[in-house]
Amino acid sequence: QVQLVESGGGLVQAGDSLRLSCIASGRPFSDYAMGWFRQAPGKEREFVAAITRAGTRTEYATSVRRRFAVSRDNAKNTAWLQMNVLTPEDTATYFCAAHVTVTGALLLSEKDYNYWGQGTQVTVSS
């Protein structure tokens, strides 16, 4: 049974930073390609960032590129999403997702992922 647990969300002001964490269990963490998605009220869930199994490649949505950074430590079973220069438009529930794979693929679509966390709320005030 694969479980993902996010943490680190909260209420911050515009320009602040937050770091989200995602701890996985159930399989060796290095088996997972990881992704971060977000869903704002009334909107569809959207891709934010992705990282390969080994952490050697990353990809970002245009809206967060150069502000957000995804990373992972396979020894700690943890992935992070460092979010800087937050704006009210970043307000959403953030989800981490995992896909068991043997390749070094970057997965950008939510349809690619098998497992999801429960989400953590990020609220950015202006």
Coordinates of all heavy atoms in Angstrom, one line a residue, residues 2 6 10 19-20 28 31 33 39 45 54-55 57 64-65 67 73 77 88-89 91 96 98 110 112 122 126:
V2 N 0.7 2.0 -1.0 CA 1.5 3.3 -1.1 C 0.8 4.4 -0.4 O -0.4 4.6 -0.7 CB 1.8 3.6 -2.6 CG1 2.5 4.9 -2.7 CG2 2.6 2.5 -3.3
E6 N 1.4 14.8 2.7 CA 2.0 16.2 2.5 C 1.9 16.9 3.8 O 1.0 16.7 4.6 CB 1.2 17.0 1.4 CG 1.1 16.3 0.1 CD -0.2 15.7 -0.2 OE1 -0.8 15.2 0.8 OE2 -0.6 15.5 -1.3
G10 N 0.1 26.5 4.7 CA -0.3 27.4 5.7 C -0.7 28.7 5.0 O -0.9 28.8 3.8
R19 N 7.8 25.8 2.3 CA 8.4 24.5 1.8 C 7.4 23.4 2.1 O 7.1 23.1 3.3 CB 9.8 24.2 2.3 CG 10.4 23.0 1.6 CD 11.8 22.7 2.0 NE 11.9 22.1 3.3 CZ 12.9 21.3 3.7 NH1 14.0 21.2 2.9 NH2 13.0 20.8 4.9
L20 N 6.9 22.7 1.1 CA 6.0 21.6 1.3 C 6.8 20.3 1.3 O 7.8 20.2 0.6 CB 5.0 21.5 0.2 CG 4.1 22.8 0.0 CD1 3.1 22.5 -1.1 CD2 3.5 23.3 1.2
P28 N 10.3 1.2 -1.9 CA 11.5 2.1 -1.9 C 11.2 3.4 -2.6 O 10.6 3.4 -3.7 CB 12.5 1.2 -2.7 CG 12.1 -0.2 -2.4 CD 10.6 -0.1 -2.4
D31 N 11.7 4.1 -6.3 CA 10.8 3.5 -7.3 C 9.8 4.5 -7.9 O 9.2 4.2 -9.0 CB 10.0 2.4 -6.8 CG 10.8 1.1 -6.5 OD1 12.0 1.1 -6.9 OD2 10.2 0.2 -5.9
A33 N 8.5 8.1 -9.6 CA 8.6 9.4 -10.2 C 7.6 10.2 -9.4 O 6.5 9.8 -9.1 CB 8.2 9.4 -11.6
Q39 N -4.7 22.7 -6.9 CA -6.1 22.9 -7.3 C -6.7 24.1 -6.5 O -6.7 24.0 -5.3 CB -7.0 21.7 -7.1 CG -8.4 21.9 -7.7 CD -9.1 20.6 -7.7 OE1 -8.8 19.6 -7.0 NE2 -10.2 20.5 -8.6
R45 N -7.5 20.8 -11.3 CA -6.2 20.5 -10.8 C -5.1 20.7 -11.9 O -5.4 20.3 -13.0 CB -6.1 19.1 -10.2 CG -4.8 18.8 -9.4 CD -5.0 17.7 -8.4 NE -5.5 16.5 -9.1 CZ -5.8 15.4 -8.3 NH1 -5.7 15.4 -7.0 NH2 -6.3 14.3 -9.0
A54 N 15.5 9.5 -9.8 CA 16.8 9.7 -9.2 C 17.0 11.2 -8.8 O 18.0 11.5 -8.2 CB 17.9 9.3 -10.2
G55 N 16.0 12.0 -9.2 CA 16.2 13.4 -8.9 C 17.1 14.2 -9.8 O 17.5 15.3 -9.6
R57 N 16.4 15.1 -13.0 CA 15.8 16.0 -13.9 C 14.5 16.5 -13.3 O 13.8 15.8 -12.6 CB 15.4 15.4 -15.3 CG 16.7 15.1 -16.1 CD 16.2 14.7 -17.5 NE 15.4 13.5 -17.5 CZ 14.3 13.3 -18.3 NH1 14.0 14.3 -19.1 NH2 13.6 12.2 -18.2
V64 N 5.3 28.9 -12.4 CA 6.1 28.8 -11.2 C 7.6 28.7 -11.4 O 8.4 28.7 -10.5 CB 5.6 27.5 -10.3 CG1 4.1 27.6 -10.0 CG2 6.0 26.2 -11.0
R65 N 7.9 28.6 -12.7 CA 9.3 28.4 -13.0 C 10.1 29.6 -12.5 O 9.7 30.7 -12.5 CB 9.5 28.4 -14.6 CG 10.8 27.8 -15.0 CD 10.8 27.8 -16.6 NE 9.7 27.1 -17.1 CZ 9.7 25.8 -17.4 NH1 10.8 25.1 -17.2 NH2 8.6 25.2 -18.0
R67 N 10.5 30.3 -9.5 CA 10.1 30.6 -8.2 C 10.0 29.4 -7.3 O 10.3 29.5 -6.1 CB 8.7 31.3 -8.2 CG 8.7 32.7 -8.9 CD 7.3 33.4 -8.6 NE 6.2 32.6 -9.1 CZ 5.2 32.2 -8.4 NH1 5.1 32.5 -7.1 NH2 4.2 31.5 -8.9
D73 N 14.9 13.4 -1.5 CA 16.0 12.6 -0.9 C 15.5 11.2 -0.7 O 14.6 10.9 0.1 CB 16.3 13.2 0.5 CG 17.5 12.5 1.1 OD1 17.8 11.4 0.8 OD2 18.2 13.2 1.9
N77 N 12.9 9.1 2.0 CA 11.6 8.9 1.5 C 10.7 10.2 1.4 O 9.5 10.2 1.6 CB 10.8 7.9 2.4 CG 11.4 6.6 2.4 OD1 12.1 6.2 1.5 ND2 11.2 5.8 3.5
P88 N -0.9 35.7 -4.4 CA -2.2 35.2 -4.2 C -2.7 34.2 -5.2 O -3.5 33.3 -4.9 CB -3.1 36.5 -4.2 CG -2.2 37.6 -3.8 CD -0.8 37.2 -4.3
E89 N -2.1 34.3 -6.4 CA -2.5 33.3 -7.5 C -2.0 31.9 -7.2 O -2.4 30.9 -7.8 CB -2.0 33.8 -8.8 CG -2.7 35.0 -9.4 CD -2.4 36.3 -8.6 OE1 -1.3 36.5 -8.1 OE2 -3.4 37.1 -8.5
T91 N -2.5 30.5 -4.3 CA -3.4 29.9 -3.3 C -4.1 28.7 -3.9 O -4.7 28.8 -5.0 CB -4.4 31.0 -2.9 OG1 -3.8 32.0 -2.2 CG2 -5.5 30.4 -2.0
C96 N 0.9 16.1 -3.6 CA 2.0 15.3 -4.2 C 1.4 14.0 -4.8 O 0.4 13.5 -4.4 CB 3.1 15.0 -3.3 SG 2.8 13.9 -1.9
A98 N 2.7 10.2 -6.9 CA 3.7 9.2 -7.2 C 3.3 8.2 -8.3 O 2.1 7.9 -8.4 CB 4.1 8.5 -5.9
E110 N -1.6 14.6 -14.6 CA -2.1 13.9 -13.5 C -2.6 12.5 -13.8 O -2.6 11.6 -13.0 CB -3.2 14.7 -12.8 CG -4.4 14.9 -13.7 CD -5.5 15.6 -12.9 OE1 -6.0 15.1 -11.9 OE2 -5.9 16.7 -13.4
D112 N -0.9 10.4 -15.4 CA 0.3 9.5 -15.3 C 0.5 8.9 -13.9 O 1.2 8.0 -13.8 CB 1.5 10.3 -15.7 CG 1.5 10.7 -17.2 OD1 0.9 9.9 -18.0 OD2 2.1 11.7 -17.5
V122 N -2.4 25.9 0.9 CA -1.6 27.1 0.8 C -2.4 28.3 0.5 O -3.1 28.3 -0.5 CB -0.5 26.9 -0.2 CG1 0.3 28.2 -0.4 CG2 0.5 25.7 0.1
S126 N -2.7 39.0 0.1 CA -2.1 40.2 -0.6 C -1.7 41.3 0.3 O -2.1 41.3 1.5 CB -3.0 40.7 -1.7 OG -4.2 41.1 -1.2

